[in-house]
């Protein structure tokens, strides 16, 4: 019997048959082995989905998941959405903050599993124990902002929390996201497109229940210690003031900032996009996710000029990097407007900015012509092109129909010259950091479970400091100890993703406090070593899911630009990550993981050691 930390129920909705059922959490999941969040998601995807199933098939589950710390005093507790990605074909867990996850637990559910496909648009209303699949034909075609407002008006429940898609999800843009609480997004991998394929416009929840804790006194004490650690931390204090935008000038100075489709890693006009400028001219309010003391969200308003009246939460670093510097655009107001459109239509700003920058380079190199681009002059630095292409992608108009498929598919269609400048790993567009000046990050991109992703491991901080976690001095541009660092961070991160914890605070909170909060909330009694083992177990199960889908070492690669083109300027001038260096790191990484070095497949021995005998493929 569950002792605390969990709502206690799983809701399963089949949109094809219109059947709804509730199952107890402990009956549905091996709670001690997988804990919640990403762990639960990996368990469901392994059991529920047959290999080779198309992401847009009705059989592909769309799963809303919380963790045992979601909705509690734990700082930075979030939720995640799991599915098979239509962009990459890999396992996809996309994490999101806001308040939806907490409300979902208060309504009584640790997970909501959506199966099947409706014949017509619907939305799911969860109001404590009352469940209803409602007609959403009047909502289909509306943007995210209109959808959330309409659902709240229809139900006269201002406390409702809404997760919904915009036109991008309806039009099956492969990097469409699910938007939560208006300005928060489960952004990466195309979760919104899967939701659109099911004709599910939204999930709205309201809950009045409470989360029972196993040892309330111990939990409050430990959660308070975690919160105080955050408030004392200098980096967290800076994030509280400036959000993620604080790093835009730092990454430019350190040759990490993608510029003009990663042709460079230093943007000469980075100061125009800086947090100092945004704080002075744009931001009006700090915002926080449920129960978090960091308040890293920033609500901003464009006050003058062509984009006056634009309101958006952000602009976050990744958006400034990918839709700003990577497109050669230094006008923060234009980037804010494009950001608002992505929020409104339901697009991942990382993939969108990457796709548009790729299009701009193809245009300037003659791979694409003005006729190909629906008359849009796609040159670097053009705010007009940025905004027009966001609209074209959303509605799959003209060139947008091809861009909506993502960089990998578009490059394959355009040919070899385009493939050389396509920045993606396993189909997921690379985020806002150039690994040529951070070789460990290159290994993290190559081995990330959902494709090119910076949130699975962040060795860059150690490389910049010149010291490994054990205090050993390391050279920033060498590959020494990178496999060790990346593996440890991936395992720890996967464990926190089972809770579900925020990426921004996990380094400060640390595994000891997380394990203590987990134990006090649930009574599971997990040691720090077992907590780390949890992450390793989940990482291996997700790897086996991807192996079952056909991914092996051959797919753990990096874009040709990172391997073949040295950085042209800056402190890392001349640096590139050679194929030989990458292969060497992969050899070390697979050895440390106990995976077959030739294939990158976890061995039977490793799977049995982790209690994953069921995942051994014959």
């Amino acid at each position: 019997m569950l002792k605390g930390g969990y709502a206690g129920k799983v809701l399963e909705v089949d949109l094809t048959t219109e059947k709804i059922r509730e199952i107890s959490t402990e009956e549905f999941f091996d709670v001690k082995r997988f804990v919640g969040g990403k762990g639960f998601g990996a368990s469901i995807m392994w059991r529920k989905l047959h290999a080779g199933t198309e992401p847009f098939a009705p059989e592909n589950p769309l799963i809303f998941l919380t963790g045992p710390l979601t909705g509690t005093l734990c700082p930075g507790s979030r939720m995640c959405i799991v599915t098979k990605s239509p962009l990459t074909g890999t396992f996809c867990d996309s994490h999101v903050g806001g308040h939806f996850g907490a409300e979902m637990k208060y309504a009584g559910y640790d997970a909501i599993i959506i199966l099947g496909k409706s014949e017509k648009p619907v939305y799911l209303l969860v109001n404590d124990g009352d469940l209803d699949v409602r007609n959403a034909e009047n909502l289909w075609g509306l943007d995210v902002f209109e959808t959330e407002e309409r659902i709240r008006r229809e139900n006269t429940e201002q406390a409702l929390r809404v997760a919904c898609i915009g036109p991008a999800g309806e039009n099956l843009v492969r990097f469409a996201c699910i938007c939560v609480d208006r300005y928060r997004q489960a952004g990466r991998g195309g979760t919104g497109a899967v939701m659109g394929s099911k004709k599910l416009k939204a999930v709205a929840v309201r809950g009045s229940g409470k989360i029972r804790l196993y040892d309330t006194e111990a939990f409050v004490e430990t959660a308070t210690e975690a919160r105080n650690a955050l408030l004392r931390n200098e980096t967290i204090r800076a994030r509280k003031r400036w959000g993620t935008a604080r790093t835009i000038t730092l990454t430019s100075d350190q040759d990490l900032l993608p510029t003009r489709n990663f042709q460079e890693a230093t943007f000469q006009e980075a100061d125009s996009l800086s947090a100092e400028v945004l704080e002075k001219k744009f931001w009006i309010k700090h915002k926080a996710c449920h129960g978090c003391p960091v308040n890293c969200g920033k609500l901003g308003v464009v006050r003058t000029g062509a984009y006056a009246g634009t309101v958006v939460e952000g602009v976050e670093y990744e958006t400034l990097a990918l839709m700003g510097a990577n497109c050669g655009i230094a006008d923060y107001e234009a980037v804010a407007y494009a950001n608002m459109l992505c929020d409104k239509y339901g697009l991942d700003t990382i993939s969108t900015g990457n796709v548009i920058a790729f299009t701009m380079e193809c245009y300037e190199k003659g791979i694409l012509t003005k006729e190909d681009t629906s008359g849009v002059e796609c040159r670097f630095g053009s705010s007009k092109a940025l905004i027009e292409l966001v609209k074209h992608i959303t509605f799959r108009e003209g060139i947008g129909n091809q861009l909506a498929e993502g960089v990998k598919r578009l490059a394959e269609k355009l040919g070899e010259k385009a493939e050389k400048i396509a920045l993606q790993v396993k189909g997921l567009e690379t985020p806002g950091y150039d690994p040529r000046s951070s070789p460990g990050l290159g290994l993290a991109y190559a081995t990330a479970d959902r494709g090119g992703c910076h949130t699975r491991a962040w060795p860059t901080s150690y490389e910049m400091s010149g010291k490994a976690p054990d205090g050993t001095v390391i050279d920033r541009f060498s590959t020494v100890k990178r496999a060790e660092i990346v593996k440890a961070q991936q395992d720890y991160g996967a464990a926190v993703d089972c809770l579900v914890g925020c990426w921004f605070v996990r380094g400060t909170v640390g595994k000891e406090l997380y394990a203590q909060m987990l134990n006090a909330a649930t009574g599971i009694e997990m040691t720090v070593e077992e907590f780390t083992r949890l992450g390793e177990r989940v990482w291996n199960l997700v790897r086996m899911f991807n192996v079952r889908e056909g991914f092996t070492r051959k797919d753990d690669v990096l874009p040709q630009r990172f391997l073949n083109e040295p950085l042209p300027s800056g402190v890392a001038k001349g640096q590139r990550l050679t194929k030989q260096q990458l292969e060497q790191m992969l050899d070390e990484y697979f050895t440390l993981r106990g995976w077959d070095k030739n294939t990158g497949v976890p061995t039977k021995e490793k799977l049995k050691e982790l209690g994953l005998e069921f995942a051994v493929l014959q």
Side-chain angles (χ1 to χ4, degrees):
M1 180 178 178
L2 297 175
K3 300 175 182 178
Y6 296 93
K9 292 184 294 184
V10 173
L11 177 64
E12 187 176 87
V13 180
D14 190 320
L15 296 176
T16 300
T17 62
E18 298 185 352
K19 288 184 178 179
I20 299 175
R21 68 172 183 144
E22 292 181 347
I23 317 107
S24 73
T25 298
E26 58 185 333
E27 177 185 338
F28 199 82
F29 294 112
D30 186 334
V31 175
K32 177 75 182 281
R33 186 175 294 185
F34 297 110
V35 173
K38 182 170 185 163
F40 281 2
S43 171
I44 296 172
M45 292 298 288
W46 183 265
R47 288 182 290 153
K48 286 280 187 181
L49 195 69
H50 294 297
T53 303
E54 287 297 318
F56 291 145
E59 294 79 14
N60 185 21
L62 180 70
I63 314 162
F64 294 74
L65 291 148
T66 65
L69 303 186
T70 303
T72 70
L73 285 176
C74 172
S77 62
R78 293 154 59 91
M79 65 169 291
C80 66
I81 299 173
V82 169
T83 191
K84 181 179 179 181
S85 168
L87 186 63
T88 66
T90 65
F91 176 92
C92 177
D93 59 313
S94 193
H95 296 244
V96 61
H99 300 266
F100 185 95
E103 199 73 25
M104 184 174 133
K105 279 187 75 172
Y106 300 154
Y109 301 103
D110 296 306
I112 298 176
I113 305 169
I114 310 294
L115 300 168
K117 176 181 178 179
S118 176
E119 291 185 1
K120 57 188 178 183
V122 294
Y123 77 91
L124 174 64
L125 179 64
V126 181
N127 192 342
D128 281 326
D130 294 329
L131 312 171
D132 194 12
V133 178
R134 296 191 172 183
N135 188 301
E137 290 177 290
N138 63 324
L139 303 176
W140 204 253
L142 298 183
D143 65 44
V144 166
F145 304 157
E146 294 170 325
T147 300
E148 182 170 336
E149 290 170 5
R150 184 79 65 85
I151 289 175
R152 287 187 172 189
R153 284 202 306 270
E154 285 182 2
N155 295 281
T156 62
E157 286 284 2
Q158 293 304 309
L160 272 178
R161 298 295 178 178
V162 179
C164 65
I165 58 171
E170 295 175 6
N171 293 322
L172 307 187
V173 175
R174 290 185 184 269
F175 44 90
C177 39
I178 296 174
C179 301
V180 174
D181 296 338
R182 194 179 183 95
Y183 291 121
R184 299 283 174 163
Q185 291 79 31
R188 309 238 64 197
T191 56
V194 174
M195 194 161 166
S197 73
K198 296 183 177 300
K199 285 289 192 292
L200 180 64
K201 181 65 174 177
V203 178
V205 298
R206 179 183 178 277
S208 58
K210 295 181 180 180
I211 300 170
R212 182 171 55 88
L213 300 172
Y214 173 69
D215 187 336
T216 302
E217 184 177 346
F219 181 81
V220 171
E221 181 180 342
T222 309
T224 301
E225 186 178 346
R227 295 170 76 87
N228 289 338
L230 291 172
L231 296 174
R232 290 191 302 266
N233 185 277
E234 184 179 340
T235 300
I236 294 297
R237 286 201 298 269
R239 178 154 285 146
K240 186 179 181 75
R241 177 177 176 182
W242 287 312
T244 59
R246 65 180 286 267
T247 56
I248 198 81
T249 50
L250 172 64
T251 55
S252 182
D253 291 342
Q254 293 298 320
D255 263 18
L256 287 161
L257 182 62
T259 301
R260 298 177 183 86
N261 198 36
F262 287 85
Q263 293 182 79
E264 306 168 73
T266 300
F267 188 43
Q268 297 301 321
E269 299 174 272
D271 286 347
S272 299
L273 302 172
S274 69
E276 289 80 4
V277 169
L278 296 176
E279 181 181 50
K280 182 178 180 180
K281 299 182 177 182
F282 182 59
W283 292 331
I284 60 170
K285 182 181 179 182
H286 299 285
K287 293 190 69 180
C289 296
H290 179 273
C292 186
V294 179
N295 291 297
C296 69
K298 308 288 173 261
L299 192 69
V301 178
V302 177
R303 299 161 199 177
T304 60
Y307 310 107
T310 297
V311 179
V312 70
E313 187 173 330
V315 181
E316 299 288 351
Y317 169 81
E318 290 291 338
T319 305
L320 291 166
L322 275 302
M323 303 188 85
N326 205 38
C327 293
I329 296 171
D331 181 355
Y332 80 84
E333 294 178 343
V335 175
Y337 184 74
N339 188 166
M340 182 275 294
L341 289 180
C342 287
D343 290 354
K344 182 178 180 179
Y345 295 145
L347 285 172
D348 171 19
T349 58
I350 297 178
S351 285
T352 302
N354 192 308
V355 168
I356 291 174
F358 170 76
T359 304
M360 288 175 169
E361 186 174 355
C362 286
Y363 186 88
E364 293 197 349
K365 289 186 171 176
I367 300 171
L368 288 171
T369 67
K370 197 169 184 178
E371 183 178 343
D372 296 322
T373 60
S374 310
V376 180
E377 192 168 349
C378 300
R379 296 194 180 278
F380 287 118
S382 172
S383 299
K384 180 179 179 181
L386 171 69
I387 291 163
E388 286 301 309
L389 289 178
V390 167
K391 296 175 182 176
H392 283 313
I393 290 168
T394 297
F395 298 102
R396 285 186 173 268
E397 296 172 344
I399 185 68
N401 191 45
Q402 298 178 55
L403 271 57
E405 293 293 296
V407 162
K408 185 176 187 292
R409 288 175 175 81
L410 177 57
E412 288 171 348
K413 186 173 183 178
L414 294 177
E416 185 178 351
K417 288 183 179 180
E419 289 183 288
K420 288 181 178 179
I421 61 173
L423 281 303
Q424 53 82 25
V425 178
K426 297 182 179 72
L428 185 65
E429 289 77 16
T430 47
Y433 304 91
D434 194 313
R436 286 173 288 188
S437 57
S438 174
L441 189 61
L443 177 63
Y445 284 173
T447 58
D449 50 9
R450 64 179 184 180
C453 178
H454 65 295
T455 64
R456 297 323 195 218
W458 183 247
T460 310
S461 57
Y462 293 111
E463 292 172 322
M464 298 277 286
S465 72
K467 287 188 178 181
D470 62 4
T472 304
V473 175
I474 56 175
D475 179 83
R476 175 178 171 181
F477 302 119
S478 80
T479 59
V480 175
K481 282 188 171 287
R482 298 318 193 265
E484 179 183 321
I485 294 170
V486 167
K487 176 190 179 297
Q489 290 186 323
Q490 288 172 341
D491 289 346
Y492 173 53
V496 177
D497 286 343
C498 293
L499 295 181
V500 183
C502 177
W503 192 68
F504 295 144
V505 306
R506 62 184 58 175
T508 303
V509 174
K511 62 182 69 175
E512 289 81 7
L513 284 177
Y514 274 127
Q516 290 173 29
M517 283 189 283
L518 172 63
N519 293 339
T522 66
I524 283 178
E525 298 183 0
M526 187 175 289
T527 66
V528 172
E529 291 73 22
E530 289 171 329
F531 183 68
T532 302
R533 199 70 157 170
L534 163 68
E536 185 182 12
R537 179 181 304 116
V538 171
W539 192 264
N540 274 261
L541 181 56
V542 171
R543 180 72 175 192
M544 286 307 301
F545 177 92
N546 287 343
V547 167
R548 194 171 67 175
E549 294 297 331
F551 293 89
T552 60
R553 176 170 178 153
K554 72 182 187 318
D555 302 292
D556 297 328
V557 296
L558 290 174
Q560 294 183 50
R561 171 154 282 165
F562 296 154
L563 300 174
N564 300 328
E565 298 180 26
L567 286 169
S569 61
V571 296
K573 181 178 180 180
Q575 292 293 328
R576 66 186 174 103
L577 186 57
T578 67
K579 185 176 181 180
Q580 182 180 2
Q581 288 175 313
L582 177 60
E583 293 300 327
Q584 178 189 345
M585 287 192 291
L586 286 170
D587 284 346
E588 295 173 6
Y589 174 84
F590 292 141
T591 300
L592 285 170
R593 282 225 168 269
W595 297 357
D596 184 276
K597 202 156 61 170
N598 295 318
T599 63
V601 176
T603 62
K604 292 181 180 179
E605 293 73 21
K606 172 54 68 174
L607 294 174
K608 290 179 179 178
E609 175 191 318
L610 295 170
L612 298 174
E613 294 89 348
F614 61 85
V616 175
L617 297 177
Q618 302 301 323

